[in-house]
Amino acid sequence: MPARVIVVGSINVDLVVAADRLPQPGETVLGGRFTQSAGGKGANAAVAAARAGASVTMIGAVGDDAHGRFAIEALIAEGVDTAGVRTVAAQTGVALIAVGPRGENQITVAPGANALVTSDALRFDAEPGVLIANFEIPLPVVVAAVEAAHAAEWTAIVDPAPAHAIPAALLAAGPILLPNEHELTVAIGNDDASTALDELMARHVGRIIVTQGAAGVLLAEGDRRERFPGYPAPAVLDSTGAGDAFCGVLATWLAEGATIDEAIDAANAAAALSVAQVGARAGMPSRTELDAFRKGELPAR
């Protein structure tokens, strides 16, 4: 049976402009190239997990509009089960993304229907799997979903993005936390990332994986601190969605019974591949591509 992954999270449509440089405040930059693609941290992680070979269920919300229909069709095309996605009386979430020449980005999100996500449709199989959640939906929903996963003996991964203080109830449920360095400092209210990690570990009963872009990740597990270097990317065109690719592949490997070290290595490879094409999902690898890349063989795209 394929590994089981459930995602409770955001579903957006990304409106992307790739330009020769990112604008300064108050500045207009002309000459950009526009694309529209399906996005949202939750839906992106769901797609990454599905492409990596997991059986994925998405729980979220969209509006009764063209963007919502587009987003659902994109998930179905990836083999994601969307029975848990509600259509609500709000606009589908939209992300406005500007991408610079080195793949750096600026993102502004109108959450829309994501603010109405509930965990009512959440059901766990008897066989263990992995739950993914993120902070682009209401925090009480994230806490309830993670607590339910803990009770069902499922592993939970929480991507605390966008940056926000982490509720004590969530820390007590012990999910794997997946912040970047900025999200780590905001989560604990400490501007020094190294001491912030120690402070957060003192309050948290689970693992913390701090993503550090091309440098890889830092794992904190009890007294253990270990750095896992990133894979060299084939190209760096757009970093949007790299963290979501990491999250989805990490979940898939863990759901398959891999160790945390093995799962991190695979997730690092997925993140490196994901930045090589423009768009949050365009570069997310299939299982075949990911396996080939980890063996030192660049996949044909």
Side-chain angles (χ1 to χ4, degrees):
M1 294 290 292
R4 287 285 290 118
V5 174
I6 297 176
V7 182
V8 181
S10 53
I11 302 172
N12 292 332
V13 170
D14 293 344
L15 306 179
V16 183
V17 174
D20 292 336
R21 61 184 179 86
L22 296 179
Q24 298 298 315
E27 181 187 18
T28 299
V29 174
L30 295 177
R33 298 164 299 283
F34 172 76
T35 56
Q36 174 181 303
S37 58
K41 294 191 70 62
N44 289 344
V47 169
R51 290 184 184 177
S55 172
V56 184
T57 298
M58 181 77 212
I59 295 175
V62 297
D64 185 13
D65 51 31
H67 281 161
R69 290 185 286 276
F70 172 74
I72 293 298
E73 289 168 3
L75 286 170
I76 292 172
E78 298 285 353
V80 175
D81 179 359
T82 61
V85 178
R86 297 165 54 234
T87 299
V88 298
Q91 292 182 330
T92 300
V94 171
L96 303 179
I97 305 174
V99 179
R102 293 178 298 279
E104 70 277 25
N105 58 43
Q106 296 173 338
I107 305 174
T108 303
V109 178
N114 294 308
L116 301 177
V117 172
T118 72
S119 59
D120 295 348
L122 188 58
R123 302 289 185 274
F124 294 105
D125 299 338
E127 292 298 319
V130 176
L131 171 81
I132 297 173
N134 63 71
F135 283 4
E136 288 187 338
I137 60 174
L139 278 178
V141 176
V142 175
V143 173
V146 172
E147 289 177 337
H150 179 75
E153 298 184 344
W154 275 46
T155 298
I157 299 173
V158 174
D159 183 353
H164 196 284
I166 299 179
L170 184 59
L171 297 176
I176 297 172
L177 294 177
L178 195 59
N180 62 26
E181 290 182 312
H182 170 66
E183 291 152 3
L184 172 64
T185 58
V186 172
I188 206 68
N190 184 336
D191 289 339
D192 181 81
S194 60
T195 56
L197 179 58
D198 290 337
E199 289 180 30
L200 187 56
M201 279 300 297
R203 305 180 191 182
H204 183 44
V205 298
R207 301 167 173 138
I208 300 174
I209 300 172
V210 183
T211 58
Q212 300 174 318
V217 305
L218 175 63
L219 169 67
E221 183 179 27
D223 294 331
R224 180 189 181 197
R225 302 288 185 275
E226 185 158 346
R227 191 172 303 279
F228 294 78
Y231 281 74
V236 181
L237 300 181
D238 186 357
S239 62
T240 309
D244 306 330
F246 183 101
C247 184
V249 171
L250 181 79
T252 300
W253 253 249
L254 291 176
E256 290 177 350
T259 67
I260 191 68
D261 292 25
E262 293 166 341
I264 288 174
D265 183 78
N268 269 340
L273 280 172
S274 76
V275 304
Q277 295 193 41
V278 175
R281 297 184 192 171
M284 288 181 174
S286 68
R287 184 63 170 253
T288 300
E289 291 174 320
L290 187 52
D291 289 343
F293 182 64
R294 296 177 73 202
K295 294 175 184 175
E297 307 165 3
L298 287 181
R301 285 179 176 262

